[in-house]
Amino acid sequence: MQRITGLITILFFFSFSAFSQKANISGVLTDGNDKTAVHNSVVALLTPIDSILYRFTRSDKEGKFNLKNVKPGNYILMTSHNQYADYVDEIMVNEGEKKLGTIALKNKIELLREVIVKSGSIRIKGDTTSYRASDFKVDANANVEELLKKLPGIQVDKNGTIKAMGETVQKVLVDGEEFFGDDPGMAVKNLRADAVKEVQVFNKKSDQAEFTGIDDGNSKKTINLKLKEDKKKGYFGKIDGANQPFTDADSRYNSNLMFSSFKGKRKLSAFLLNGNTGQDGLNWEDSEKFGARENNFSMNMDDDGNVNYEWVGGNNDGEPYINTQNGFIKNTNAGLQYSNKWNDKQTLNVSPKFNKQIYTNNNSRISQTQVGDTQLNEDRTTVTNVDRSNFKLNATYDVKLDSLNSIKFTARTNFYNTESDEFTDGITTGNDGVLKNKQQRLFTTNSDKSSLYAGMLFKHKFAKARRTFSVNSSWSLLNTNSNNFLKSSNESYVDGVLDSKVDVDQNKIGDRSNQNFSANFTYSEPIAKQLSLQFAYQIAFDKGKNNYFTYDYSEDTGKYDEIVTSLSNQFEQTVITQRPNLKLSYNAKKINYSIGSGFGFTTFDLLDKTMDKQYKRNYTNFFPSASFSYRYKSNSDLRVNYQGATRQPTLEQLQPLTNNQDFFNQTLGNPDLKQSFTNSVNIYQNSYDMLTETQIYQGLSFSTTSNLITYSRVIDPETAKTVSKPINTNGNFSGNFYFGYGFKVKKINLNVNLNPSVNYSKTVLSINDKIGNSKNLNTGFGVYLYKSKEKKYDLSLSNRFSFNRNSTTQNDEIKSFNTNNLNLDIGVYLDEKWKLSTDYNLNTRQKTIDFQDNLTNQLWNARLQRTFKKDEFTAYILIRDILNQNIGIQRNVYENTISQEQNDRLKRYVMVGFTWNFKNGGGTSQK
């Protein structure tokens, strides 16, 4: 009995103790997006062993819930609501009060969207969007460019420009490494689509931001092509040849060879392109590759304190301007790409390239210039012949010394030669058609250029996160030697009667060089979890010279040995810049901003050796900068940037030397020029919904420049002779707004894009010592439609309307005209082996008071192809410009001048071609 009584007593105290140790569980339910309270949601506790309901309650109007008298132990907490996804979590309950805090619930629509995106052909992780390449079908043996055209959110235009989520793609990597340098087109045109496993699109941060972990607001839209594993151990390529049949001479032809071999992390690729149809990748528009803009020296400072040196403008060395859309071109283009990585510590990338171009063009230009009450009408034709060759080598060697230190070496060389001749024949008349002047001239060029660059980047990370130190130094040298001949006959008329005639027969010899050394030291220090300070100091030394001599032809000696002192000059320039900089940065998951400023101490030392005159100047500049970015959801962000930057006058603008290449349009340098300063603000918003394939983006920019370098023109209304001189002006500004809206009509599988834009600028001009201004307005609206069905058809239709308006204080009359461009592209699969492609382009240009011709032309092309042997071989026939209406017409409005140009264009021709796509011993392509 005593034992029973004792047992009952123990059980009683045990049950009392257990009852007294129960707990209360509380929390708040909110919407995961807008943080509003979620009421009337079931909150339940389940036992983990058998998932039996133990206790439940509902959230109140404030989203609060409270589960009382819960036994200590392990439970499963679950919420249930008809609009929100179930929340499930394992919790441990001890005695007393257990506060779970705020529980963010996910809307079922949002959850469904994530499930679809992650489990389908497209995955989104952070700011990276990945496409599974095999899920987007392209033609057999198609290149990566054709694959990109199929991917939602990516567009590729006819010029090969790639846009992803509304932004222009500036880099295309292959397995994270550069492919043929920094040219996006080389990878997408030369790699086969069936070699790609995944296409990744992201904003690549600057090297400095990736190193420090501090977002500096500088990023480039980048595509990374991840190759299939089996493609990393084999080879593939293409041989393509086409020729115009039934012609004896000057037939159209193209021959292309592309080859790629991959073995692990070693990549070897080569290409050889030869043709005379102006095919893609065979042009001189890339100034970095071929030096087309490297004619004079300029220095520019950006908001990060970087000093950039380049040669811009000028024509003393006689480099002709070439637009490869016009004229007739024969090209040979070859390149080799080798990259390898050893032990994930050493990376080598080498890319030599060669290009040779033979170019001819006939250009006719009519222009009207208003000078007070006088209108000058110029009618001019120019025949240009150019023979150019270029060799370029890029090499980088990156070494990770250890986990904290790395060093990267970069070397670039560029050697190019230009031989050209340009014959011009022109007349200028007045309002009533009375002759003002007449000119004939021949200008021949022989120019050699060489460019050398060496850079070193050392990076060190300290043990403390985000504490870093780096040194970035570079040296560059650019030399130009030119030997040119000018022969011209120049006649001036008064009241239509010959008044004077000047014949010119001169040899012009130029010797120009620019050498630069710069070093940038940067230290970053974290001052809080999300705040960092960055200190930078940069010093740059630049020395340039320009020796230019002009010699008249001597009848006595039969040589060019009489120096023309007024057209000869020796000029030197030394610029030393020191730039301390301080920046505060805040980096969080969604919000990043930075604000900072630098001071620039610049010393100019200009020496006119010919006149024995020296110009010395010292400048102290203040460079404020600010950036802000807000990523409010995946693939949606808002960015705001401000910067203040200076731009120095070019060496040619400073050198007091007259350029008389065009006798009736001469230029003269101005050593009294000041540097200009530009304030610019850019606002950009982008939102892309991958599930609905809907995109909205807007961009707004505004800039104003003080001491902008423009050209003052003194125009003689009697002879129509113009002398231009660079001067500093104030009151210049420009603004730009563009908007894009893209969506998909899923019922009919139609992609639609709408793109309106507005550009406005005001430029101060000086004509005959009278200060005025020129105002330009350009508005446009574009529509793009695209629809396709696999192995059935591809259809795209686009239209772009533009309106141009110009007014100047020199002329009360407003110049305005509109243009319209309509494009239609159709591809039809006749069966598994046959495909017919055709494209049609309608260009309409409104006639104006100045140009009475309403110029409309139609371009129509077609291609028929058939594949053989499991799509390994393709035979085709193509016809270009079926209607024989390809004309190169361009109108321009600048200050008080409106002009219209017409150039040669390649007209109707037929080609028959054959393509062999091979890979790993001739394996078949994936369909």
Side-chain angles (χ1 to χ4, degrees):
M1 184 67 180
Q2 291 179 347
R3 291 181 179 178
I4 295 174
T5 304
L7 181 59
I8 293 173
T9 303
I10 293 173
L11 290 174
F12 174 80
F13 280 105
F14 178 80
S15 62
F16 178 81
S17 175
F19 179 80
S20 64
Q21 292 178 356
K22 291 185 178 180
N24 292 334
I25 303 173
S26 62
V28 180
L29 302 183
T30 64
D31 187 294
N33 287 329
D34 57 21
K35 310 303 180 186
T36 58
V38 177
H39 67 278
N40 203 33
S41 173
V42 175
V43 182
L45 283 181
L46 309 177
T47 55
I49 298 177
D50 48 15
S51 297
I52 294 177
L53 179 64
Y54 171 72
R55 185 161 285 129
F56 79 94
T57 186
R58 289 184 180 271
S59 58
D60 61 19
K61 292 183 178 180
E62 297 178 351
K64 297 179 180 180
F65 65 89
N66 194 353
L67 295 164
K68 299 180 179 180
N69 299 324
V70 178
K71 294 180 181 180
N74 294 325
Y75 295 94
I76 297 175
L77 178 72
M78 184 178 75
T79 68
S80 179
H81 194 281
N82 61 344
Q83 294 182 8
Y84 293 89
D86 294 345
Y87 174 87
V88 181
D89 191 16
E90 294 183 359
I91 63 173
M92 177 181 290
V93 179
N94 298 317
E95 64 175 310
E97 190 76 18
K98 184 174 184 63
K99 296 182 179 180
L100 299 179
T102 300
I103 298 175
L105 302 183
K106 183 161 291 189
N107 192 290
K108 285 184 177 181
I109 296 177
E110 293 293 327
L111 183 64
L112 176 62
R113 180 173 298 161
E114 288 192 4
V115 170
I116 292 175
V117 170
K118 291 180 179 178
S119 63
S121 305
I122 307 169
R123 293 183 298 108
I124 300 174
K125 184 178 181 181
D127 63 349
T128 300
T129 301
S130 300
Y131 303 84
R132 191 163 56 208
S134 59
D135 291 350
F136 300 91
K137 305 302 180 183
V138 294
D139 288 346
N141 306 314
N143 59 17
V144 172
E145 184 177 76
E146 295 302 315
L147 172 64
L148 296 181
K149 293 178 181 179
K150 302 284 187 178
L151 305 184
I154 298 181
Q155 295 178 345
V156 184
D157 65 17
K158 286 190 173 182
N159 298 321
T161 302
I162 307 168
K163 287 193 173 184
M165 288 72 181
E167 297 182 71
T168 300
V169 173
Q170 302 181 57
K171 276 181 173 287
V172 174
L173 308 176
V174 178
D175 282 335
E177 302 292 337
E178 286 190 353
F179 190 79
F180 284 107
D182 215 8
D183 183 357
M186 295 307 300
V188 301
K189 293 180 184 296
N190 293 339
L191 288 179
R192 293 169 57 112
D194 59 8
V196 178
K197 176 184 178 182
E198 189 175 10
V199 178
Q200 298 175 329
V201 181
F202 58 95
N203 289 318
K204 187 179 188 302
K205 298 178 181 178
S206 66
D207 292 341
Q208 188 71 15
E210 290 179 350
F211 168 59
T212 61
I214 302 173
D215 192 342
D216 56 8
N218 295 321
S219 63
K220 294 181 178 180
K221 184 64 74 173
T222 301
I223 288 178
N224 181 41
L225 305 173
K226 294 188 68 175
L227 300 181
K228 297 175 181 177
E229 289 301 321
D230 61 332
K231 301 302 178 184
K232 298 179 182 180
K233 301 177 183 179
Y235 63 88
F236 56 89
K238 179 175 74 172
I239 298 176
D240 179 55
N243 198 82
Q244 185 176 6
F246 315 120
T247 56
D248 297 327
D250 195 30
S251 63
R252 302 297 106 194
Y253 65 89
N254 283 328
S255 57
N256 305 331
L257 170 64
M258 301 176 186
F259 176 81
S260 294
S261 172
F262 297 90
K263 185 177 181 180
K265 296 181 179 179
R266 189 221 68 191
K267 303 181 183 69
L268 178 65
S269 297
F271 70 92
L272 173 62
L273 311 176
N274 186 35
N276 63 357
T277 64
Q279 57 183 331
D280 292 337
L282 301 177
N283 58 64
W284 286 78
E285 293 177 353
D286 189 337
S287 59
E288 182 186 358
K289 295 177 187 174
F290 310 118
R293 293 185 63 226
E294 299 184 28
N295 296 328
N296 217 320
F297 163 75
S298 174
M299 181 177 71
N300 179 45
M301 292 184 181
D302 63 20
D303 60 327
D304 285 326
N306 301 313
V307 180
N308 302 312
Y309 295 87
E310 61 179 348
W311 293 78
V312 295
N315 57 6
N316 271 346
D317 57 3
E319 283 290 330
Y321 170 73
I322 291 178
N323 181 350
T324 54
Q325 292 182 346
N326 302 314
F328 304 100
I329 308 164
K330 295 180 180 178
N331 271 293
T332 300
N333 201 356
L336 183 69
Q337 166 83 18
Y338 173 82
S339 64
N340 209 342
K341 181 178 285 188
W342 298 274
N343 303 321
D344 289 329
K345 291 186 177 182
Q346 302 180 62
T347 302
L348 176 66
N349 196 312
V350 181
S351 178
K353 298 178 188 176
F354 172 78
N355 183 286
K356 182 175 177 62
Q357 178 191 71
I358 298 175
Y359 173 86
T360 62
N361 183 39
N362 290 286
N363 171 277
S364 61
R365 181 178 186 270
I366 55 176
S367 65
Q368 296 178 353
T369 302
Q370 193 72 29
V371 185
D373 296 330
T374 303
Q375 180 174 286
L376 301 176
N377 306 300
E378 183 183 18
D379 190 345
R380 186 179 67 190
T381 60
T382 302
V383 180
T384 303
N385 298 285
V386 180
D387 188 342
R388 281 175 162 173
S389 60
N390 162 263
F391 175 78
K392 183 177 182 179
L393 175 66
N394 284 352
T396 59
Y397 180 57
D398 199 342
V399 183
K400 292 183 179 179
L401 303 176
D402 52 41
S403 60
L404 300 177
N405 299 279
S406 68
I407 189 168
K408 181 179 181 180
F409 300 96
T410 303
R412 293 196 295 266
T413 63
N414 201 350
F415 302 96
Y416 31 96
N417 170 264
T418 301
E419 295 181 5
S420 68
D421 61 77
E422 193 174 78
F423 179 76
T424 301
D425 188 356
I427 63 171
T428 303
T429 60
N431 301 39
D432 49 6
V434 176
L435 189 63
K436 296 285 186 179
N437 64 51
K438 183 186 295 185
Q439 181 187 63
Q440 286 187 336
R441 74 171 184 268
L442 175 65
F443 191 78
T444 61
T445 300
N446 191 331
S447 174
D448 289 293
K449 294 184 180 181
S450 61
S451 174
L452 305 175
Y453 172 88
M456 186 275 292
L457 173 62
F458 171 76
K459 298 184 292 188
H460 172 73
K461 286 187 177 182
F462 294 89
K464 186 176 182 180
R466 293 183 291 134
R467 177 183 289 172
T468 65
F469 174 74
S470 65
V471 180
N472 192 354
S473 62
S474 66
W475 170 86
S476 64
L477 174 66
L478 176 62
N479 285 323
T480 301
N481 295 294
S482 60
N483 187 15
N484 308 324
F485 292 89
L486 172 64
K487 294 182 179 182
S488 66
S489 173
N490 310 281
E491 300 177 353
S492 298
Y493 292 79
V494 176
D495 296 328
V497 179
L498 179 64
D499 179 66
S500 63
K501 180 179 180 181
V502 178
D503 291 327
V504 177
D505 189 359
Q506 297 173 338
N507 178 207
K508 298 175 177 291
I509 299 174
D511 176 19
R512 180 181 301 165
S513 69
N514 183 78
Q515 188 171 193
N516 167 260
F517 172 79
S518 66
N520 194 16
F521 305 88
T522 305
Y523 174 79
S524 63
E525 176 67 25
I527 57 177
K529 182 179 180 180
Q530 296 171 321
L531 282 174
S532 300
L533 273 177
Q534 185 169 288
F535 306 88
Y537 176 79
Q538 184 180 59
I539 183 169
F541 174 83
D542 188 277
K543 186 173 181 62
K545 72 171 184 177
N546 186 16
N547 299 327
Y548 200 76
F549 302 97
T550 299
Y551 298 91
D552 273 336
Y553 180 77
S554 173
E555 295 284 352
D556 297 333
T557 63
K559 298 179 181 179
Y560 294 90
D561 53 11
E562 296 181 0
I563 191 167
V564 184
T565 56
S566 62
L567 300 175
S568 302
N569 187 265
Q570 291 178 281
F571 199 81
E572 292 184 356
Q573 175 175 273
T574 301
V575 182
I576 300 175
T577 301
Q578 300 182 70
R579 174 80 181 269
N581 190 75
L582 177 64
K583 180 183 290 187
L584 175 68
S585 300
Y586 174 87
N587 297 116
K589 186 176 181 180
K590 291 188 175 183
I591 295 179
N592 295 280
Y593 64 81
S594 66
I595 184 170
S597 181
F599 290 88
F601 306 97
T602 306
T603 300
F604 264 78
D605 189 351
L606 311 178
L607 176 61
D608 186 342
K609 298 177 68 175
T610 301
M611 303 300 294
D612 193 22
K613 188 173 183 179
Q614 193 169 25
Y615 305 85
K616 286 192 174 182
R617 300 171 190 163
N618 295 295
Y619 294 104
T620 300
N621 294 303
F622 175 59
F623 300 99
S625 65
S627 66
F628 172 84
S629 66
Y630 173 45
R631 177 174 291 273
Y632 49 91
K633 63 180 180 178
S634 181
N635 277 333
S636 301
D637 60 354
L638 171 68
R639 298 196 299 270
V640 182
N641 289 284
Y642 162 79
Q643 69 173 13
T646 62
R647 189 170 186 87
Q648 312 296 343
T650 66
L651 182 60
E652 185 178 61
Q653 289 171 335
L654 291 166
Q655 188 173 12
L657 179 66
T658 299
N659 184 335
N660 72 326
Q661 181 175 329
D662 185 343
F663 181 82
F664 292 106
N665 292 279
Q666 300 187 15
T667 59
L668 175 65
N670 179 9
D672 295 320
L673 283 177
K674 302 176 183 178
Q675 60 183 0
S676 63
F677 188 88
T678 300
N679 291 284
S680 60
V681 178
N682 295 277
I683 303 173
Y684 177 77
Q685 185 275 334
N686 177 67
S687 177
Y688 187 82
D689 190 314
M690 194 64 66
L691 182 66
T692 61
E693 297 184 43
T694 301
Q695 178 185 19
I696 300 177
Y697 59 89
Q698 308 95 40
L700 177 65
S701 61
F702 179 82
S703 66
T704 178
T705 304
S706 57
N707 285 326
L708 178 69
I709 299 174
T710 59
Y711 279 83
S712 170
R713 292 184 291 164
V714 176
I715 305 174
D716 185 349
E718 297 300 325
T719 64
K721 185 176 181 179
T722 301
V723 177
S724 302
K725 182 179 180 180
I727 61 172
N728 294 107
T729 61
N730 291 299
N732 305 277
F733 66 86
S734 64
N736 168 260
F737 172 77
Y738 61 92
F739 176 84
Y741 177 50
F743 59 93
K744 187 170 187 177
V745 184
K746 293 193 173 183
K747 288 185 178 181
I748 56 175
N749 193 33
L750 178 68
N751 290 285
V752 182
N753 284 275
L754 308 175
N755 304 102
S757 63
V758 179
N759 298 276
Y760 181 81
S761 65
K762 176 187 174 184
T763 305
V764 175
L765 55 86
S766 173
I767 298 177
N768 292 344
D769 298 324
K770 292 183 179 180
I771 301 296
N773 60 66
S774 173
K775 299 177 182 179
N776 288 277
L777 172 67
N778 175 271
T779 61
F781 187 83
V783 180
Y784 175 79
L785 308 174
Y786 175 74
K787 180 178 174 61
S788 67
K789 189 173 183 180
E790 184 181 348
K791 289 299 181 181
K792 294 295 183 181
Y793 60 83
D794 296 293
L795 172 65
S796 68
L797 176 66
S798 64
N799 191 80
R800 181 74 185 178
F801 174 83
S802 297
F803 172 76
N804 303 273
R805 182 182 185 274
N806 171 264
S807 63
T808 71
T809 52
Q810 292 285 327
N811 185 5
D812 294 333
E813 181 184 351
I814 295 176
K815 309 285 187 180
S816 64
F817 62 91
N818 58 60
T819 61
N820 195 81
N821 186 276
L822 174 69
N823 287 279
L824 175 64
D825 288 90
I826 302 174
V828 179
Y829 297 85
L830 305 179
D831 60 24
E832 284 289 324
K833 301 296 183 181
W834 290 89
K835 182 182 179 181
L836 175 64
S837 303
T838 184
D839 60 89
Y840 172 80
N841 180 268
L842 175 63
N843 292 289
T844 304
R845 304 167 184 87
Q846 178 191 18
K847 63 182 179 181
T848 67
I849 296 176
D850 307 291
F851 304 113
Q852 291 296 313
D853 294 330
N854 191 354
L855 294 171
T856 298
N857 68 306
Q858 305 173 74
L859 301 178
W860 181 23
N861 307 311
R863 171 183 168 124
L864 178 65
Q865 70 176 45
R866 189 189 192 282
T867 58
F868 304 89
K869 197 182 177 182
K870 298 181 179 179
D871 299 327
E872 185 176 346
F873 301 104
T874 303
Y876 60 89
I877 179 172
L878 60 86
I879 308 175
R880 299 293 186 189
D881 189 20
I882 296 174
L883 303 177
N884 205 35
Q885 294 186 18
N886 190 14
I887 56 175
I889 296 290
Q890 183 177 2
R891 286 179 182 168
N892 290 297
V893 178
Y894 175 71
E895 294 185 352
N896 63 327
T897 299
I898 182 170
S899 65
Q900 178 174 287
E901 292 189 27
Q902 183 167 344
N903 296 275
D904 279 345
R905 288 284 177 94
L906 193 58
K907 291 193 174 183
R908 181 169 52 208
Y909 65 92
V910 180
M911 294 181 71
V912 177
F914 188 80
T915 304
W916 176 32
N917 287 275
F918 59 88
K919 62 175 184 176
N920 290 347
T924 59
S925 301
Q926 176 185 342
K927 292 185 181 180

